[in-house]
Structures are given as structure tokens and as C-alpha cells.
């Protein structure tokens, strides 16, 4: 049984990219050695409002429970509740290099070369490495945009093990067959993201059914009328990927189904499938919202469990790097 770890950042609202890229796989196969984390410390790397962060952290945990994560089986917790994440980050900071962090695509995109960005934004992948390595994780189920960060985590773990002796398991990222990179519906050349820049192109989990349908029906398609995935058809390709993620059917089968059909019928089918997948999650979320005590209880239990594993790793790490007991 592989030890699995993954996380999600409470910045912006969770959307269907998060759901199909990550959450749905977390809920699909639940085992006691699977650990999921709401990474609130990562959300502090860009300017934010403290009250909003508190609210979003609980809200995101509520969405994860609504997807079906069972806190009696898996460990679900909030990153800052386990102090070892911050401690391990410092130690790994002394192993990671400026050069490798400077090469991270997300840092280059978000930092935009500005001197005013926080050191935390630069250091972001080291905190992520700490998250993964503290639990000796073998698999990290993520969307495609996290590939580079997990590879860096492996490099840092390998260097640490080489320098101080065998300590960390080397993790590997796993990706879904479809939905690994859901694109913005209004700008299919951009990844769908939590930023509020493109409300028409992003389907939030919290959107209602009518809004979900409207956004899909208005999604940018391409010239021509063929429902076929190809590089020169990013809009249709994205909708096919989304339909494949929502139905579990391969894109090739879907292309066959829609041979000769128009974009209108195709988009209606995508909307139906997405609405159908999200409906139970949305209903469960509404129920859980009225029971915040059960969410808090799940998170307390999760943090207790996570802490015991993380603390054990840190005893070993502290000894290996030469810190006194
Ligand atoms: P975050 O919060 O941006 O996204 C959470 C998960 O959703 C996936 N994802 C997508 N998948 C498909 N299409 C999209 N458009 C899309 N957008 C997001 C992400 O790949 C991710 O799996 N740094 C991470 C959080 C993190 C983490 C970790 C993940 C912190 N520590 C340790 C794994 C292990 C992040 O910001 O994800």
C-alpha cells in the first residue's frame, strides 16, 4: 500500500481543475496511509487578508469532505497545525539551492522578475518538499502544473540522503489520465486557475447548476465544426478532456460519439456530465456548511495523526543534521 500525500492551497475558490486534476482521485481510493492537507502556509506567499485566509482554510476543508474524503480513513489536516512543516522547511532550505528554485516555472510566472515579491514565494517549493518528505510519501497525486515541484522534491530528498545518510523516501508524482490540465474556458491557452481574473472561464465548485451550464455553453470553441482533439483546436480539446474526466471515457471514444454533431450538442453533453458529477458534491457541501463542528473535529483528529508521523521523521532528521537533542 503506497503512502500518498497531496495538498491544496486555500487561495481563491476551488474549481473544477482542482476537482478533476486532484480531489476526485483522492476520494476514489481511500486508505489509512493517505494524507491530504490544506496548505495555509503556502497561501501566505502572496498578499492576503488574514480573516479571509482563516475562512478559506475551513471552507476548503469542507469542500474536501464534501468530495467524499472520510476523515476516519484518511488523514485530513491543516498544514500550520503541524509545526514540523515549518521546521523541516528551514532544514531543507539549507539543502535546496538558489539556482534550482530560480528555475521554477511557477515562481517565474508569479514573481515576474519583481524584487518586491516575498521570499516565501521563492521558497514555496521547499515548503512543499517538506510537506511531502515529512510523511515519507511515495506517491503525490497532483495536476500537471505541480510536476516540476515534485521533481524538485525528489532532487532535494536525494541530496539530503546523500549528504546525511538515508532519511527520506523519494516520492513520485501521479497524474490523472484526463483532466491533468484543465484549461480556462474563455482562454483555452491558459490553465484554469483560482485567480479571480477570468470568472467566465473558471467553473468554481461553488457555482450553481445554471452558472455551470452557462459557462460551458459559452466556452470558446474553434473555427470549423469538428469535435476532435488537436493542437490547433485548444478550446474543443479542452472540452473533450473535461468530458473525458467527467465520464471516465477515453477521448477517442468521445470523438467517435460526436462525429457529425455540432458544437452545441457537444457542449450540452459536457455541461450535463459536469453538472452530474458535481451535484452530489455540491449537495454534501451545503449540508456540511451547516455543521462546522464536524469539520473542526475532523481537522483536529487529522492534525493529531499527521503530527505523530511528522514528529517521528523530525527526530531522525534533527539527529542526522547535527542538532542536539
Ligand atoms: P493548488 O492549490 O494550486 O491546486 C491543488 C491541486 O489541483 C491541481 N490543479 C489542476 N489540475 C488540473 N487542471 C487545472 N487547471 C488545475 N489547477 C490546479 C494542482 O495540480 C494540485 O494537484 N503547491 C500546490 C499545493 C501543495 C501540494 C503540496 C501538493 C502544497 N504542498 C504537497 C502536493 C503535495 C498547489 O498550490 O496546488
Amino acid at each position: 500500500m503506497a503512502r500518498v500525500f497531496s495538498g491544496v492551497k486555500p487561495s481563491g475558490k476551488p474549481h473544477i481543475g482542482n476537482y478533476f486534476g486532484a480531489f476526485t482521485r483522492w476520494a476514489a481510493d481511500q486508505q489509512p496511509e493517505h494524507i491530504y492537507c490544506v496548505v495555509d502556509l503556502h497561501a501566505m506567499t502572496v498578499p492576503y487578508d488574514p480573516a479571509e485566509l482563516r475562512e478559506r482554510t475551513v471552507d476548503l476543508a469542507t469542500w474536501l469532505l464534501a468530495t467524499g474524503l472520510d476523515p476516519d480513513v484518511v488523514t485530513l489536516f491543516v498544514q500550520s497545525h503541524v509545526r514540523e512543516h515549518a521546521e523541516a522547511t528551514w532544514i531543507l532550505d539549507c539543502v535546496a539551492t538558489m539556482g534550482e528554485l530560480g528555475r521554477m516555472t511557477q515562481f517565474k510566472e508569479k514573481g515576474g522578475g519583481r524584487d518586491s515579491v516575498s521570499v516565501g514565494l521563492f521558497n514555496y517549493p521547499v515548503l512543499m518538499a517538506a510537506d511531502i518528505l515529512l510523511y515519507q510519501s511515495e506517491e503525490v497525486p497532483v495536476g500537471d502544473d505541480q510536476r516540476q515541484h515534485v521533481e524538485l522534491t525528489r532532487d532535494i530528498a536525494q541530496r539530503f540522503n546523500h549528504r546525511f545518510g538515508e532519511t527520506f523516501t523519494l516520492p513520485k508524482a501521479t497524474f490523472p489520465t484526463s483532466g491533468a490540465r484543465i484549461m480556462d474556458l474563455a482562454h483555452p491557452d491558459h490553465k484554469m486557475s483560482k485567480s479571480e481574473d477570468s470568472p467566465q472561464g473558471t467553473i468554481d465548485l461553488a457555482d450553481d447548476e445554471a452558472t455551470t451550464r452557462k459557462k460551458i455553453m459559452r466556452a470558446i470553441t474553434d473555427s470549423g465544426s469538428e469535435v476532435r482533439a488537436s493542437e490547433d483546436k485548444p478550446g474543443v480539446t479542452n472540452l473533450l478532456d473535461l468530458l473525458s474526466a467527467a465520464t471516465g471515457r477515453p477521448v477517442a471514444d468521445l470523438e467517435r460519439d460526436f462525429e457529425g454533431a455540432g458544437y452545441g450538442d457537444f457542449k450540452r453533453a459536457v455541461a450535463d456530465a459536469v453538472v452530474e458529477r458535481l451535484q452530489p458534491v455540491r449537495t454534501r457541501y451545503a449540508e456540511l456548511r451547516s455543521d462546522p463542528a464536524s469539520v473542526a473535529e475532523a481537522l483536529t483528529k487529522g492534525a493529531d495523526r499527521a503530527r505523530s508521523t511528522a514528529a517521528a521523521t523530525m527526530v531522525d532528521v534533527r539527529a542526522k543534521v547535527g542538532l542536539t537533542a
Side-chain angles (χ1 to χ4, degrees):
M1 217 63 82
R3 191 179 278 266
V4 168
F5 183 97
S6 200
V8 54
K9 195 169 56 206
S11 55
K13 298 181 190 147
H15 53 74
I16 58 168
N18 302 129
Y19 182 74
F20 289 114
F23 303 170
T24 182
R25 285 190 297 147
W26 304 355
D29 166 34
Q30 301 187 44
Q31 305 291 340
E33 38 297 277
H34 294 184
I35 305 173
Y36 300 107
C37 186
V38 177
V39 295
D40 53 351
L41 299 174
H42 275 110
M44 298 168 64
T45 53
V46 291
Y48 70 99
D49 174 57
E52 206 168 61
L53 175 60
R54 226 178 334 262
E55 154 108 32
R56 283 179 169 169
T57 300
V58 176
D59 188 63
L60 190 51
T62 310
W63 275 113
L64 292 179
L65 291 168
T67 65
L69 278 189
D70 180 349
D72 289 326
V73 178
V74 303
T75 297
L76 173 66
F77 75 106
V78 175
Q79 187 185 37
S80 66
H81 294 181
V82 178
R83 312 260 162 119
E84 281 77 1
H85 289 247
E87 187 188 0
T89 300
W90 176 255
I91 292 174
L92 297 178
D93 270 342
C94 300
V95 175
T97 69
M98 298 283 287
E100 63 195 351
L101 293 185
R103 284 193 290 279
M104 292 294 110
T105 309
Q106 279 205 356
F107 174 70
K108 286 196 266 189
E109 279 171 9
K110 287 195 184 164
R114 284 167 290 131
D115 275 350
S116 56
V117 299
S118 73
V119 174
L121 188 70
F122 183 66
N123 201 28
Y124 181 111
V126 184
L127 176 58
M128 185 161 157
D131 297 342
I132 296 169
L133 300 178
L134 274 174
Y135 301 94
Q136 306 293 1
S137 315
E138 293 158 285
E139 290 181 11
V140 186
V142 282
D144 188 60
D145 61 340
Q146 298 301 318
R147 186 186 293 269
Q148 200 185 25
H149 289 159
V150 181
E151 278 166 12
L152 176 71
T153 300
R154 243 182 117 81
D155 291 345
I156 293 174
Q158 215 153 14
R159 197 173 310 138
F160 186 101
N161 289 350
H162 183 69
R163 204 170 286 173
F164 299 109
E166 216 40 53
T167 308
F168 294 123
T169 304
L170 303 189
K172 74 168 200 297
T174 65
F175 306 97
T177 326
S178 43
R181 192 177 187 84
I182 304 273
M183 307 306 276
D184 186 297
L185 298 176
H187 306 279
D189 49 339
H190 286 89
K191 181 187 73 169
M192 189 179 286
S193 78
K194 285 196 217 93
S195 65
E196 269 103 45
D197 300 345
S198 177
Q200 290 316 313
T202 310
I203 297 178
D204 294 333
L205 295 184
D207 281 345
D208 60 22
E209 177 179 337
T211 308
T212 305
R213 287 187 185 279
K214 195 160 72 195
K215 287 180 183 176
I216 293 174
M217 294 311 289
R218 289 191 185 159
I220 296 283
T221 34
D222 315 278
S223 54
S225 59
E226 244 183 310
V227 178
R228 180 172 49 80
S230 77
E231 255 177 49
D232 59 338
K233 289 165 106 47
V236 169
T237 303
N238 187 39
L239 290 173
L240 274 167
D241 188 39
L242 187 52
L243 183 57
S244 170
T247 58
R249 299 187 56 220
V251 167
D253 288 6
L254 299 170
E255 286 174 329
R256 219 168 299 127
D257 286 0
F258 288 96
E259 240 165 35
Y263 285 160
D265 285 346
F266 169 55
K267 284 177 167 179
R268 242 182 309 279
V270 178
D272 285 346
V274 170
V275 162
E276 192 181 324
R277 276 297 293 276
L278 294 184
Q279 191 269 330
V281 179
R282 288 169 167 166
T283 305
R284 182 79 187 116
Y285 171 79
E287 288 163 10
L288 283 165
R289 280 293 282 181
S290 60
D291 186 12
S294 75
V295 178
E297 194 190 321
L299 294 176
T300 304
K301 190 162 55 180
D304 287 345
R305 243 191 273 157
R307 205 175 289 120
S308 71
T309 307
T313 304
M314 282 312 294
V315 169
D316 185 27
V317 168
R318 290 174 61 96
K320 289 253 180 53
V321 300
L323 301 177
T324 52

